[in-house]
Amino acid sequence: MFELQQIGDILGISTLVGCLVAQVPQIIAIIKSKNVDGISFNGFSIEIFSLTIQVLYFVVQEYSILSYSDIAVLLVQDYVIVVLLMMYGKEPLGAREYGNVFGYLVALVSVLIGTVSKEMIVMVMQGVVLLNLASKMTFVSSILASKDTSAMEPAAWIIFVYSNIVRVFVGYVLLGDMTIVAQHAVNGCFNLAITFLIYKYKDGKKEEEKKKE
């Protein structure tokens, strides 16, 4: 019989494997097509803030590396996507976007030099649910505005949904941490909605061209 911890470890490894390749198709697709239509820079920027806080939270709480390794992997992949968005975006970044980048770098340096305490990180983590809401709403609004998700890879979002389900299980059953449970429950619902929208508008521009004809 498997113990709960063993089940948690197996699930953790499965999410890590999934997240190792989650955004790779997206990254390759952007590099090949140089197309970033429908992909929200601000959405990814907020998500990077959120993922960074989550990684720091797991570290200061001294949870096992396996319990947050997939989040760390996603964070690195998001860094790459944001750089690609800056390279291939049709419109130049505005003050808001540069402000997001600058604010993130300042916050990260503050953590690295020890200005931010463990208590502050734990406190900020309580607000990550709201940060996730802002991130996902940005993605949703961007998709609904463009009605074109041809540059977005649905496989990655399916993996995110699975990862969220695993995180809810691990957070509730193994860690007893309701902050993690709430955060990933909300994330999972929005990721599922975004996955649906990606499939719905996958041929957005093609449909518009057909209608014009």
Side-chain angles (χ1 to χ4, degrees), residues 60-75:
V60 300
Q61 293 291 74
E62 298 182 354
Y63 291 143
S64 69
I65 294 177
L66 188 58
S67 66
Y68 63 90
S69 55
D70 59 322
I71 301 174
V73 168
L74 289 177
L75 177 60

Side-chain angles (χ1 to χ4, degrees), residues 57-103:
Y57 177 80
F58 276 90
V59 170
V60 300
Q61 293 291 74
E62 298 182 354
Y63 291 143
S64 69
I65 294 177
L66 188 58
S67 66
Y68 63 90
S69 55
D70 59 322
I71 301 174
V73 168
L74 289 177
L75 177 60
V76 173
Q77 292 176 359
D78 278 1
Y79 284 146
V80 175
I81 290 176
V82 163
V83 170
L84 292 174
L85 289 172
M86 295 174 75
M87 290 172 59
Y88 299 126
K90 292 180 180 178
E91 297 180 4
L93 300 180
R96 178 183 175 184
E97 286 78 14
Y98 281 114
N100 286 341
V101 174
F102 179 74

Side-chain angles (χ1 to χ4, degrees), residues 116-176:
V116 179
S117 66
K118 172 183 176 179
E119 289 72 22
M120 288 179 66
I121 292 173
V122 172
M123 181 179 69
V124 172
M125 181 65 176
Q126 309 305 314
V128 165
V129 172
L130 297 177
L131 198 60
N132 285 335
L133 276 174
S135 170
K136 301 308 176 184
M137 286 303 296
T138 304
F139 280 114
V140 170
S141 61
S142 177
I143 292 172
L144 292 177
S146 67
K147 291 183 172 55
D148 179 16
T149 59
S150 57
M152 299 180 75
E153 289 295 327
W157 295 90
I158 293 172
I159 292 173
F160 296 158
V161 172
Y162 171 71
S163 178
N164 290 139
I165 293 171
V166 171
R167 289 288 147 225
V168 169
F169 172 82
V170 171
Y172 183 74
V173 178
L174 299 181
L175 303 178

Side-chain angles (χ1 to χ4, degrees), residues 14-23 70 73-74 77 159-160 163:
S14 69
T15 58
L16 174 59
V17 171
C19 289
L20 279 171
V21 298
Q23 296 281 34
D70 59 322
V73 168
L74 289 177
Q77 292 176 359
I159 292 173
F160 296 158
S163 178

Side-chain angles (χ1 to χ4, degrees), residues 109-117:
V109 170
S110 298
V111 172
L112 294 176
I113 64 177
T115 306
V116 179
S117 66

